[in-house]
Amino acid sequence: MKKYIEKSQMPVLGNEGIDSITPKNEQWKAALWKFLIFSAIGIALFIIPFQWDGKVTILLGVMTDTLQALLGSSVVYIALAIVTVSFLGALGVKLLKPKITEDSLITKFFDVDWFWLTIRLLGMVFVWMIYLQVGPEFIISRNTGGVIFEDLIPILIPLFIFAILSLPFLTDFGLMEFLGTLSSKIFVKLFNLPGRAAVDAMSSWFGAASIGLLVTMQQYDKSFYSQREAAIIATTFSVTSIAFTYVVAKTIGVDNNFVFFYLTIALTGFIAAIIMPRLPPLSTKPDTYHSGSSMLDEEIPSNYTTYQWAVNRAVTRAHCMPSLSTVFKQSLGNVFDIYFGLIPVIFVIGTIGLGLAEYTSVFNWLATPLVPILEMLHIPEAAKAAPAMVMGFADMYLPALVGKSIESEMTRFIVGAASITQIIYMSEVGALIIKSNIKLNVLELFVIFMIRTLISLVVITAAAHLLY
């Protein structure tokens, strides 16, 4: 590999002081080992699937499950503390106006505008109402706020701490540069995206949608993706994990055909990923960067092969990284930023979305135009299937819960597969996107959701007719 690194051809990564690295000095050797070892750790944590306790998972999933079991019922009090401190801290900064620097942790955690302060207030009100079981059923019911409080948050709290602390191994020590360079031509031609998006996709497929989305958010904040690219990746590649796909298949009663079920989802996701970036609102997003200019250069010099340049860029990136302790401190700050900023948003958006699905006819009204489309595709029990599909915008698991009562196995197959390929659900992924800097609003997310639904329906229904 040494011959593939030459100091005259260093990639543009937005870092300084890298010209001294050459194949002949100790710095190059140290950077090479840093890339290989830390990237191997990232792959082991996020990407390599294996069988554990009767399910297919990844090492990060095992760590999350272990911590979740250790925390047990105490995670409830952690959630209460996070949401309460999130609001009180932000309120204190807003009212007291302490003298704090822009790069301080207090600014990062608590200096928010009035809109997000209101969201944090609602989040605190919701979480205490659900915990004390005081207030309207719309909020405190086991099927609305209870789902967020008892089912989702106990998973997300341990997941976020491990995922965010581990993310640098996946994103910052050369792996994204290496794989991104190797796959750049494919991703540009098929999806009009940088090759490094392949890492986002893999971390979603084998881990969880939120993990892939966290990678995307981080890469956008560091200006490796433009706003258009980040919006496409977040809404197109944040696919749920294989493990959760099996849970949906089992819930809706089609796990006896799981291999065909998952292959259908993979094919549908691939076709949607080709089409979606070429349609508005994603195609109309600007190619502007969070810091004002791109930090990414995937051009391959004429005197390098693709593999040679991939190694070059990976080793250079690893060389530019600070010490592991510095990276850990930065990541720990990001953990609390996610906790204080996102958990209240999930409580508000997730509870309201589930409440609308449980106690109103909003999703039935929204699903009305879908019924003739489903009938045209010769899907049995179309009137029952349509609302289940639209409910996926509130939460990915809702279509399976509602759709399991449908008698036709073919229709259940279609509803279950569509719920996975729709990707955007406001109880988690949607809330993450809205809280991020990517700048997609609820209306845009709903439009993207419906376009994905229509594309998915055509492909999944064709597959279902072959099977049934």
Coordinates of all heavy atoms in Angstrom, one line a residue, residues 253-305:
G253 N -47.9 -11.4 10.2 CA -48.2 -12.7 9.9 C -47.7 -13.2 8.5 O -48.3 -14.1 7.9
V254 N -46.5 -12.7 8.0 CA -46.0 -13.2 6.7 C -44.5 -13.6 6.9 O -43.8 -13.7 6.0 CB -46.0 -12.0 5.7 CG1 -47.5 -11.7 5.4 CG2 -45.3 -10.8 6.1
D255 N -44.2 -14.0 8.2 CA -42.8 -14.4 8.4 C -42.5 -15.7 7.8 O -41.3 -16.1 7.7 CB -42.5 -14.4 9.9 CG -43.6 -15.2 10.7 OD1 -44.8 -14.9 10.5 OD2 -43.2 -16.1 11.5
N256 N -43.5 -16.5 7.4 CA -43.3 -17.8 6.7 C -42.7 -17.5 5.3 O -42.1 -18.4 4.7 CB -44.6 -18.5 6.6 CG -45.7 -17.7 5.9 OD1 -45.9 -16.6 6.2 ND2 -46.4 -18.4 5.0
N257 N -42.8 -16.3 4.8 CA -42.2 -16.0 3.5 C -41.2 -14.8 3.7 O -41.1 -13.9 2.9 CB -43.3 -15.5 2.5 CG -44.1 -16.7 2.0 OD1 -43.5 -17.7 1.6 ND2 -45.4 -16.6 2.1
F258 N -40.4 -14.9 4.8 CA -39.5 -13.7 5.2 C -38.5 -13.4 4.1 O -38.2 -12.3 3.8 CB -38.9 -13.9 6.5 CG -38.0 -12.8 6.9 CD1 -38.5 -11.6 7.3 CD2 -36.6 -12.9 6.9 CE1 -37.7 -10.5 7.6 CE2 -35.8 -11.8 7.2 CZ -36.4 -10.6 7.6
V259 N -37.9 -14.5 3.5 CA -36.8 -14.3 2.5 C -37.3 -13.5 1.4 O -36.8 -12.5 0.9 CB -36.2 -15.6 2.1 CG1 -35.2 -15.3 0.9 CG2 -35.5 -16.3 3.3
F260 N -38.5 -13.9 0.8 CA -39.1 -13.2 -0.3 C -39.5 -11.8 0.1 O -39.4 -10.9 -0.6 CB -40.3 -14.0 -0.8 CG -40.8 -13.5 -2.1 CD1 -40.3 -13.9 -3.3 CD2 -41.9 -12.7 -2.2 CE1 -40.7 -13.5 -4.5 CE2 -42.4 -12.2 -3.4 CZ -41.8 -12.6 -4.6
F261 N -40.0 -11.7 1.4 CA -40.5 -10.4 1.9 C -39.3 -9.4 2.0 O -39.4 -8.3 1.5 CB -41.0 -10.7 3.4 CG -41.5 -9.5 4.1 CD1 -42.8 -8.9 3.7 CD2 -40.8 -8.9 5.1 CE1 -43.3 -7.8 4.4 CE2 -41.3 -7.8 5.8 CZ -42.6 -7.3 5.4
Y262 N -38.2 -9.9 2.4 CA -37.0 -9.0 2.5 C -36.4 -8.6 1.2 O -36.0 -7.5 0.9 CB -35.9 -9.6 3.5 CG -34.9 -8.5 3.8 CD1 -35.2 -7.5 4.8 CD2 -33.7 -8.5 3.2 CE1 -34.2 -6.6 5.1 CE2 -32.7 -7.5 3.4 CZ -33.0 -6.5 4.4 OH -32.1 -5.6 4.7
L263 N -36.4 -9.6 0.3 CA -35.9 -9.4 -1.1 C -36.8 -8.4 -1.8 O -36.3 -7.5 -2.5 CB -35.8 -10.7 -1.9 CG -34.7 -11.7 -1.4 CD1 -34.8 -13.0 -2.2 CD2 -33.3 -11.0 -1.6
T264 N -38.1 -8.4 -1.6 CA -39.0 -7.5 -2.2 C -38.7 -6.1 -1.6 O -38.7 -5.1 -2.4 CB -40.4 -7.9 -1.8 OG1 -40.7 -9.2 -2.4 CG2 -41.4 -6.9 -2.4
I265 N -38.5 -6.0 -0.3 CA -38.2 -4.7 0.3 C -36.9 -4.1 -0.3 O -36.8 -2.9 -0.6 CB -38.1 -4.8 1.8 CG1 -39.5 -5.1 2.4 CG2 -37.5 -3.6 2.5 CD1 -39.5 -5.5 3.8
A266 N -35.9 -5.0 -0.4 CA -34.6 -4.5 -1.0 C -34.7 -4.0 -2.4 O -34.2 -3.0 -2.7 CB -33.6 -5.7 -0.9
L267 N -35.4 -4.8 -3.2 CA -35.6 -4.3 -4.6 C -36.4 -3.0 -4.7 O -36.1 -2.1 -5.4 CB -36.4 -5.4 -5.4 CG -36.8 -5.1 -6.8 CD1 -35.6 -4.9 -7.7 CD2 -37.7 -6.2 -7.4
T268 N -37.5 -2.9 -3.9 CA -38.3 -1.7 -3.8 C -37.5 -0.5 -3.4 O -37.5 0.6 -4.0 CB -39.5 -1.9 -2.9 OG1 -40.2 -3.1 -3.3 CG2 -40.4 -0.7 -2.9
G269 N -36.7 -0.7 -2.3 CA -35.8 0.4 -1.8 C -34.8 0.8 -2.9 O -34.6 2.0 -3.0
F270 N -34.3 -0.1 -3.6 CA -33.3 0.2 -4.7 C -33.9 1.0 -5.8 O -33.4 2.1 -6.2 CB -32.7 -1.1 -5.3 CG -31.7 -0.9 -6.4 CD1 -30.4 -0.4 -6.1 CD2 -32.1 -1.1 -7.7 CE1 -29.5 -0.2 -7.1 CE2 -31.2 -0.9 -8.7 CZ -29.9 -0.5 -8.4
I271 N -35.1 0.6 -6.2 CA -35.8 1.3 -7.3 C -36.2 2.7 -6.8 O -36.1 3.7 -7.6 CB -37.1 0.5 -7.8 CG1 -36.6 -0.8 -8.5 CG2 -37.9 1.4 -8.7 CD1 -37.7 -1.7 -8.8
A272 N -36.7 2.8 -5.6 CA -37.1 4.1 -5.1 C -35.9 5.1 -4.9 O -36.0 6.3 -5.1 CB -37.8 3.9 -3.7
A273 N -34.8 4.5 -4.6 CA -33.6 5.3 -4.4 C -33.1 5.9 -5.7 O -32.4 6.9 -5.7 CB -32.4 4.4 -3.8
I274 N -33.4 5.2 -6.8 CA -33.0 5.7 -8.1 C -34.0 6.9 -8.5 O -33.6 7.9 -9.1 CB -33.0 4.6 -9.2 CG1 -31.9 3.6 -8.9 CG2 -32.9 5.2 -10.6 CD1 -31.9 2.4 -9.8
I275 N -35.3 6.7 -8.2 CA -36.3 7.6 -8.7 C -36.4 8.9 -7.8 O -36.4 10.0 -8.3 CB -37.7 6.9 -8.7 CG1 -37.6 5.8 -9.8 CG2 -38.8 7.9 -9.1 CD1 -38.9 4.9 -9.7
M276 N -36.4 8.7 -6.5 CA -36.7 9.8 -5.6 C -35.7 11.0 -5.7 O -36.2 12.2 -5.7 CB -36.6 9.3 -4.1 CG -37.8 8.4 -3.7 SD -39.4 9.1 -3.9 CE -39.3 10.4 -2.7
P277 N -34.4 10.8 -5.9 CA -33.5 12.0 -6.0 C -33.8 12.9 -7.2 O -33.4 14.0 -7.3 CB -32.1 11.4 -6.1 CG -32.2 10.1 -5.5 CD -33.6 9.6 -5.8
R278 N -34.6 12.3 -8.2 CA -34.8 13.0 -9.4 C -36.2 13.7 -9.4 O -36.6 14.3 -10.4 CB -34.7 12.0 -10.6 CG -33.3 11.5 -10.8 CD -33.2 10.3 -11.7 NE -31.9 10.0 -12.1 CZ -31.0 9.3 -11.3 NH1 -31.4 8.9 -10.1 NH2 -29.8 9.1 -11.7
L279 N -36.9 13.6 -8.3 CA -38.2 14.2 -8.2 C -38.2 15.3 -7.1 O -37.5 15.2 -6.1 CB -39.3 13.2 -7.8 CG -39.5 12.0 -8.8 CD1 -40.5 11.0 -8.2 CD2 -40.0 12.5 -10.2
P280 N -39.1 16.4 -7.2 CA -39.2 17.3 -6.1 C -40.0 16.7 -5.0 O -40.8 15.7 -5.3 CB -40.0 18.5 -6.8 CG -40.7 17.9 -8.0 CD -39.8 16.7 -8.5
P281 N -39.8 17.1 -3.8 CA -39.0 18.2 -3.3 C -37.5 18.0 -3.2 O -36.8 18.9 -3.0 CB -39.6 18.6 -2.0 CG -40.1 17.3 -1.4 CD -40.6 16.5 -2.6
L282 N -37.1 16.7 -3.3 CA -35.6 16.4 -3.1 C -34.8 17.0 -4.2 O -33.7 17.6 -4.0 CB -35.4 14.9 -3.0 CG -36.0 14.2 -1.8 CD1 -35.8 12.7 -1.9 CD2 -35.4 14.8 -0.5
S283 N -35.2 17.0 -5.5 CA -34.4 17.4 -6.6 C -34.3 19.0 -6.6 O -33.4 19.5 -7.2 CB -35.1 17.0 -7.9 OG -36.4 17.6 -8.1
T284 N -35.2 19.7 -5.9 CA -35.1 21.1 -5.8 C -34.3 21.7 -4.7 O -34.2 22.9 -4.6 CB -36.6 21.7 -5.8 OG1 -37.2 21.2 -4.6 CG2 -37.3 21.3 -7.0
K285 N -33.8 20.8 -3.8 CA -33.0 21.3 -2.7 C -31.7 21.9 -3.2 O -31.1 21.3 -4.1 CB -32.8 20.2 -1.7 CG -34.0 19.8 -0.8 CD -34.4 20.9 0.1 CE -35.7 20.6 0.8 NZ -36.1 21.7 1.7
P286 N -31.2 22.9 -2.6 CA -30.0 23.5 -3.1 C -28.7 22.7 -2.8 O -28.7 22.0 -1.7 CB -29.9 24.9 -2.4 CG -30.7 24.7 -1.2 CD -31.8 23.7 -1.5
D287 N -27.7 22.8 -3.6 CA -26.4 22.2 -3.3 C -25.6 23.1 -2.5 O -24.4 23.5 -2.9 CB -25.7 21.7 -4.6 CG -26.2 20.4 -5.1 OD1 -26.1 19.4 -4.2 OD2 -26.6 20.2 -6.2
T288 N -26.1 23.6 -1.4 CA -25.3 24.4 -0.5 C -24.9 23.6 0.7 O -25.4 22.6 1.0 CB -26.2 25.6 0.0 OG1 -27.4 25.1 0.6 CG2 -26.6 26.5 -1.1
Y289 N -23.8 24.1 1.4 CA -23.2 23.4 2.4 C -23.3 24.1 3.8 O -23.4 25.3 3.8 CB -21.7 23.1 2.1 CG -21.5 22.2 1.0 CD1 -21.6 22.6 -0.4 CD2 -21.4 20.8 1.2 CE1 -21.5 21.8 -1.4 CE2 -21.2 19.9 0.1 CZ -21.3 20.4 -1.2 OH -21.2 19.5 -2.2
H290 N -23.3 23.3 4.9 CA -23.6 23.9 6.2 C -22.5 24.9 6.6 O -22.9 25.9 7.2 CB -23.5 22.7 7.2 CG -24.0 23.1 8.6 ND1 -25.2 23.7 8.8 CD2 -23.3 23.1 9.8 CE1 -25.3 24.0 10.1 NE2 -24.2 23.6 10.7
S291 N -21.3 24.7 6.2 CA -20.2 25.7 6.5 C -20.0 26.7 5.4 O -19.1 27.5 5.5 CB -18.9 24.9 6.8 OG -18.4 24.3 5.7
G292 N -20.8 26.6 4.3 CA -20.6 27.5 3.2 C -19.9 26.9 2.0 O -20.2 27.3 0.8
S293 N -19.0 25.9 2.2 CA -18.3 25.3 1.1 C -18.1 23.8 1.4 O -18.1 23.4 2.5 CB -17.0 26.0 0.8 OG -16.2 25.9 2.0
S294 N -17.9 23.0 0.3 CA -17.8 21.6 0.5 C -16.4 21.2 1.0 O -15.4 21.8 0.7 CB -18.0 20.9 -0.9 OG -17.7 19.5 -0.8
M295 N -16.4 20.2 1.9 CA -15.2 19.7 2.5 C -14.8 18.4 1.8 O -13.9 17.7 2.2 CB -15.3 19.5 4.0 CG -15.7 20.7 4.8 SD -14.5 22.0 4.7 CE -13.3 21.4 5.9
L296 N -15.5 18.1 0.7 CA -15.4 16.8 0.0 C -14.9 16.9 -1.4 O -15.3 17.8 -2.1 CB -16.7 16.0 0.1 CG -16.8 14.7 -0.6 CD1 -15.9 13.7 0.1 CD2 -18.2 14.1 -0.7
D297 N -13.9 16.1 -1.7 CA -13.4 16.0 -3.1 C -13.3 14.5 -3.5 O -12.4 13.9 -3.0 CB -12.1 16.8 -3.3 CG -11.6 16.7 -4.7 OD1 -12.3 16.3 -5.6 OD2 -10.4 17.1 -4.9
E298 N -14.2 14.0 -4.4 CA -14.1 12.6 -4.7 C -13.5 12.5 -6.2 O -13.6 11.4 -6.7 CB -15.5 12.0 -4.6 CG -15.9 11.8 -3.2 CD -17.2 10.9 -3.1 OE1 -18.0 10.8 -4.0 OE2 -17.3 10.3 -2.0
E299 N -12.9 13.5 -6.7 CA -12.3 13.4 -8.0 C -11.0 12.5 -7.9 O -10.3 12.7 -6.9 CB -11.9 14.8 -8.5 CG -13.1 15.6 -9.0 CD -13.8 15.0 -10.1 OE1 -13.2 14.5 -11.0 OE2 -15.1 15.1 -10.2
I300 N -10.8 11.6 -8.8 CA -9.7 10.7 -8.8 C -8.7 11.2 -9.8 O -9.0 11.3 -11.0 CB -10.1 9.3 -9.2 CG1 -11.2 8.8 -8.1 CG2 -8.9 8.4 -9.2 CD1 -11.8 7.5 -8.5
P301 N -7.4 11.6 -9.4 CA -6.4 12.1 -10.3 C -6.1 11.0 -11.4 O -6.2 9.8 -11.2 CB -5.2 12.3 -9.4 CG -5.8 12.5 -8.1 CD -7.0 11.6 -8.0
S302 N -5.7 11.5 -12.6 CA -5.5 10.6 -13.7 C -4.4 9.6 -13.5 O -4.4 8.5 -14.1 CB -5.2 11.4 -15.0 OG -4.1 12.2 -14.8
N303 N -3.4 9.9 -12.6 CA -2.3 9.0 -12.4 C -2.5 8.1 -11.3 O -1.6 7.4 -10.8 CB -1.0 9.8 -12.1 CG -1.1 10.8 -11.0 OD1 -2.2 11.3 -10.7 ND2 -0.1 11.0 -10.2
Y304 N -3.8 7.9 -10.8 CA -4.1 7.0 -9.7 C -5.2 6.1 -10.2 O -6.1 6.5 -11.0 CB -4.7 7.7 -8.5 CG -3.6 8.3 -7.6 CD1 -3.0 9.6 -7.9 CD2 -3.2 7.7 -6.5 CE1 -2.1 10.1 -7.1 CE2 -2.2 8.2 -5.6 CZ -1.7 9.5 -6.0 OH -0.7 10.0 -5.1
T305 N -5.2 4.8 -9.8 CA -6.3 4.0 -9.9 C -7.3 4.3 -8.8 O -7.0 5.0 -7.9 CB -5.9 2.5 -9.8 OG1 -5.5 2.2 -8.5 CG2 -4.9 2.1 -10.8

